[in-house]
Amino acid sequence: MDVLHERCAGIDISKRDAKVCVRTPNPKRKGTFTQQTTTFGATTNAIVDLREHLLDADVTLVVMEATGDYWKPFYYLLTEELNVILVNARQVKNLPGRKTDVSDAAWLAQLGSHGLVRASFVPPQPVRELRDLTRTRSQLTRERAQVVQRLEKLLEDAGIKLSAVVSDLMGVSGRAMLQALIDGQRDPRVLADLAKRRMRSKIPELSQALTGRFREHHAFLTRVYLDQYDHLSGAVRQLTARIEEAMTPFRPALDLLDTIPGVNRAVAEVIVAETGGDMDRFPSDKHLASWAGLCPGHHESAGRIRSTRVRPGNPYLKGALGMAAFGAARTKDSFLQARYKRLTARRGPIKALVAVEHSIITAIWHMLNDNVPYHELGGDYFTRRDPERATRRAINQLNQLGFTVTLNPREDTA
């Protein structure tokens, strides 16, 4: 194979150190290469020494594997003066057996010298900081939801069925009743009378639901869960305010994404944070969908297709698109809802949601690439595209119900 980089280095990174293999031409025998493997620490000073070592060797390409978060200090320091690419571990797997950190470093150097590796997308620093904010907010939001689930289990243990009547335990009425329980009130009628506004119509059901065996033990844990919920809510509000400030340069992209059915402000912020809001790094909408993990898998052997499951992709982006797909599937008279209903009857709801996510990510690429808002095709798009097929389907459904159909076109359409 052709050698694209005669002086190449491969780095296998762990938490405490890194094995560095420098591959250079052999001065004694033309056409051959020598490999020198050295171990460097993972501290900042050790990485600076590694950078000087690679510069002295006139290395033109450095290949490192994405191992957890341990690659970050190496990548950030080495990219200041060297050509460094980060590669996906699943794309550079060596042959099984004889696996060591030293052999992994040598394998990375060999792949890099022949140009057989593809660089992973590492966003610039402002986008990385924005990612940290949105990912932390998503994690704290999940933790807050888990606190509510723990509280609901605790109330079940006390025989309190409040969640069966109140849709939101942390709403105004729910919090008032929980606080009264903590303060020692046990009369179901007094507790039910704390309901506010529309919940007042459910006072009889609340009286039944609030009858239980709520003890001091339950009051203590309820107070702990409420304090934890309030603390997480405060942290989420702080993160949201910080994200609003960091999103200032990306305001045009956010305004475009808000026009997509099912995409709210929080989802749009995650999409911008994960993609960077710049579609120049993705040659086409298919590349973006593949990077997000929303393309069917390819696994064919002996003429048989074994699996078409989507690959993992970016979990944060897929999670946000999943929420957008749920919202879009419930948006009336929209193309995405029509697409969901059309596919869910044949392929099931899960595959239909993935297809809607693929449609959304495709629209995102075109919108951000061309700087245009979302164009709604309408809920009757498929009917307008092929009216004869829609007519045949309607006739078949009526025939299955035992009706004989005669079509008479209207005068205004004749």
Side-chain angles (χ1 to χ4, degrees):
M1 290 183 290
D2 295 335
V3 177
L4 302 182
H5 299 276
E6 289 189 343
R7 294 180 173 271
C8 185
I11 305 179
D12 185 79
I13 303 171
S14 63
K15 183 176 182 179
R16 293 181 174 83
D17 56 29
K19 299 296 188 295
V20 181
C21 177
V22 178
R23 190 174 189 266
T24 57
N26 189 348
K28 298 181 180 179
R29 187 176 178 182
K30 186 177 181 181
T32 62
F33 295 84
T34 60
Q35 296 182 165
Q36 181 184 4
T37 304
T38 314
T39 301
F40 286 86
T43 61
T44 299
N45 292 332
I47 298 174
V48 172
D49 294 338
L50 168 60
R51 185 175 62 188
E52 297 301 324
H53 172 71
L54 297 176
L55 289 173
D56 293 340
D58 295 329
V59 171
T60 59
L61 178 67
V62 180
V63 182
M64 64 176 60
E65 194 176 79
T67 308
D69 291 326
Y70 303 141
W71 61 270
K72 292 183 177 180
F74 287 87
Y75 184 88
Y76 299 153
L77 287 174
L78 295 181
T79 50
E80 294 178 356
E81 299 185 32
L82 292 164
N83 179 23
V84 184
I85 62 174
L86 183 72
V87 297
N88 194 327
R90 67 191 300 267
Q91 297 178 358
V92 293
K93 287 184 178 180
N94 201 349
L95 296 175
R98 300 183 63 184
K99 181 185 181 307
T100 62
D101 293 342
V102 174
S103 63
D104 287 346
W107 178 246
L108 291 173
Q110 184 177 354
L111 291 177
S113 65
H114 295 292
L116 298 177
V117 290
R118 183 172 54 186
S120 298
F121 168 48
V122 180
Q125 181 177 349
V127 179
R128 294 200 301 265
E129 294 176 354
L130 187 58
R131 275 186 175 185
D132 291 339
L133 294 173
T134 55
R135 291 179 179 184
T136 303
R137 183 179 63 178
S138 299
Q139 181 64 32
L140 294 183
T141 302
R142 285 194 293 267
E143 292 179 7
R144 186 174 61 178
Q146 291 173 355
V147 171
V148 177
Q149 292 172 353
R150 297 189 191 105
L151 176 60
E152 185 176 355
K153 291 183 178 180
L154 178 67
L155 295 178
E156 290 288 342
D157 182 75
I160 303 295
K161 307 290 290 187
L162 184 60
S163 60
V165 181
V166 178
S167 59
D168 183 11
L169 279 178
M170 294 302 167
V172 177
S173 300
R175 287 296 295 262
M177 298 172 193
L178 292 174
Q179 186 60 49
L181 286 169
I182 295 174
D183 294 339
Q185 181 59 253
R186 299 293 183 266
D187 190 340
R189 289 173 295 182
V190 175
L191 293 172
D193 194 55
L194 296 174
K196 309 294 183 182
R197 298 181 181 178
R198 289 183 298 178
M199 290 299 301
R200 303 281 308 173
S201 62
K202 298 183 179 181
I203 287 181
E205 293 89 343
L206 288 171
S207 299
Q208 296 294 327
L210 290 168
T211 303
R213 300 175 295 103
F214 196 89
R215 303 188 302 273
E216 183 63 27
H217 168 72
H218 300 109
F220 173 78
L221 286 179
T222 300
R223 180 74 273 165
V224 170
Y225 290 147
L226 291 180
D227 291 342
Q228 187 178 8
Y229 180 89
D230 293 337
H231 175 72
L232 292 173
S233 297
V236 170
R237 286 193 295 270
Q238 293 178 5
L239 287 168
T240 300
R242 188 62 178 265
I243 290 172
E244 285 289 335
E245 298 177 2
M247 279 289 176
T248 302
F250 307 99
R251 199 70 60 187
L254 286 177
D255 294 338
L256 290 177
L257 295 178
D258 277 341
T259 61
I260 304 177
V263 177
N264 56 22
R265 195 69 172 184
V267 172
E269 290 171 348
V270 174
I271 294 172
V272 171
E274 295 303 325
T275 63
D278 183 11
M279 296 296 107
D280 292 340
R281 59 180 56 92
F282 302 105
S284 67
D285 59 326
K286 296 181 177 59
H287 285 81
L288 177 60
S290 177
W291 178 76
L294 294 174
C295 286
H298 297 285
H299 186 190
E300 182 179 352
S301 180
R304 297 181 59 186
I305 299 177
R306 298 184 179 275
S307 175
T308 58
R309 295 184 62 180
V310 295
R311 68 184 189 88
N314 186 314
Y316 301 96
L317 181 58
K318 290 183 71 172
L321 291 174
M323 295 177 59
F326 272 112
R330 291 166 172 77
T331 303
K332 294 182 179 180
D333 299 327
S334 66
F335 164 77
L336 295 175
Q337 184 190 53
R339 178 166 173 77
Y340 174 78
K341 291 182 177 180
R342 181 184 177 89
L343 292 175
T344 191
R346 296 186 291 111
R347 308 302 299 273
I350 302 300
K351 291 185 178 180
L353 281 175
V354 174
V356 173
E357 293 176 34
H358 186 276
S359 298
I360 293 176
I361 198 68
T362 300
I364 289 172
W365 186 90
H366 288 282
M367 291 167 59
L368 298 182
N369 187 65
D370 301 333
N371 195 27
V372 294
Y374 179 79
H375 175 62
E376 177 58 62
L377 297 177
D380 59 344
Y381 168 77
F382 295 104
T383 302
R384 289 185 286 104
R385 188 183 67 173
D386 193 351
E388 295 182 359
R389 182 178 180 180
T391 302
R392 291 195 303 269
R393 180 178 299 178
I395 292 175
N396 290 335
Q397 291 177 350
L398 290 173
N399 290 337
Q400 292 175 1
L401 293 175
F403 294 95
T404 301
V405 181
T406 301
L407 299 180
N408 294 318
R410 295 186 308 182
E411 295 181 359
D412 56 346
T413 61

